[in-house]
Amino acid sequence: MVTIAACQRLQRSWFAALSSATGGRTFTTHGSDWVWLPARRELILLFPQEISPAGIRPALAEGVRLGAHTVGAWLGGGVKGAPLTGLGFSPGWQPWWMAAPVEEPAGYDDAAAVLSTEVPEYGGPLAQELRVVRSQPRQAWHAVARVDGTVAGAGYSFYPSGVPGLRGLGGIFNMEVLQEYQRHGLGTALLSRLAKAAAASGAEHLALNATPQGYELYSQRGFELIGRGQTYWLQL
């Protein structure tokens, strides 16, 4: 059974992989764990058990030094975020944690999506973050769906090796189909292609954090809601 705690560890691992691939780093301030994502100029607080202003203030100063544009905080559903609002943060979108046996999403037609380590149209953060699929040992895969040669959707799957508590658990991240191409099977094709890639490397289950809009697709492709989290955001 996939737990919310496992989903949070998986999200941590994904952020750490993106950070490493793009020249970022992770660090701790007074028990608060952070990841710096330079491609997006984002500093993220990762799932504290409680909010410690003593751990946040020095990280904010470090974020200014690094040139961060945004500071985010990912919290479990039971953590009180009120101290963050006192530091200038605002509540953000709510991750909906979902999980499925990998064979469920992998069982659909994936002909409209292809795995790719190079996407010529990408620039800026998208191009930088694509480096994660070229990191060794291989633990991430990227798929794109095109319509008339134009990128219409994309996403990642991720299966980290050697992370305690994540044996057999992979994830789906950064899935998006452009609005004008939605409801044409591209999301299903991307999901299936990415699930197959993770399964080939040993993933037995997949987890993801869905928006309310994405919930409709994922729930129809074998994913079940297991819990909700919180995010808070500060613009520097």
Side-chain angles (χ1 to χ4, degrees):
M1 178 180 176
V2 178
T3 64
I4 294 176
C7 291
Q8 292 176 350
R9 284 193 291 270
L10 184 66
Q11 187 73 48
R12 277 176 176 265
S13 296
W14 170 244
F15 279 148
L18 281 181
S19 177
S20 177
T22 56
R25 64 188 181 94
T26 59
F27 61 94
T28 301
T29 56
H30 299 278
S32 298
D33 297 329
W34 300 84
V35 61
W36 166 235
L37 302 173
R40 296 182 180 273
R41 316 303 296 179
E42 285 186 357
L43 182 63
I44 306 292
L45 173 63
L46 299 170
F47 305 109
Q49 295 301 307
E50 60 180 3
I51 303 301
S52 167
I56 292 175
R57 290 192 178 97
L60 295 181
E62 179 65 3
V64 171
R65 187 190 72 80
L66 290 168
H69 295 164
T70 306
V71 182
W74 286 62
L75 310 179
V79 176
K80 295 181 179 179
L84 288 172
T85 60
L87 293 168
F89 287 75
S90 298
W93 64 283
Q94 185 181 56
W96 291 23
W97 300 112
M98 303 185 75
V102 72
E103 62 268 17
E104 290 284 342
Y108 292 88
D109 182 7
D110 64 0
V114 296
L115 296 179
S116 179
T117 59
E118 299 285 349
V119 182
E121 297 93 332
Y122 282 3
L126 292 178
Q128 294 179 54
E129 291 177 346
L130 193 57
R131 298 172 191 163
V132 73
V133 304
R134 301 189 288 273
S135 301
Q136 296 298 324
R138 182 71 178 271
Q139 57 182 0
W141 300 265
H142 181 71
V144 296
R146 296 177 182 273
V147 175
D148 297 329
T150 299
V151 174
Y156 287 89
S157 59
F158 177 63
Y159 181 55
S161 59
V163 178
L166 292 182
R167 182 176 177 85
L169 180 61
I172 300 293
F173 295 97
N174 296 15
M175 270 272 294
E176 181 180 13
V177 175
L178 298 180
Q179 185 172 0
E180 60 266 37
Y181 299 111
Q182 292 175 6
R183 300 188 181 277
H184 290 84
L186 300 184
T188 296
L190 286 165
L191 190 60
S192 183
R193 178 72 71 174
L194 292 167
K196 288 182 175 76
S201 289
E204 299 172 357
H205 289 80
L206 291 175
L208 53 81
N209 59 79
T211 61
Q213 294 77 15
Y215 173 82
E216 181 179 355
L217 168 67
Y218 300 129
S219 62
Q220 292 174 355
R221 299 298 179 261
F223 285 84
E224 294 185 357
L225 181 66
I226 60 175
R228 296 177 173 85
Q230 310 173 71
T231 64
Y232 283 77
W233 301 92
L234 171 68
Q235 302 300 316
L236 294 181

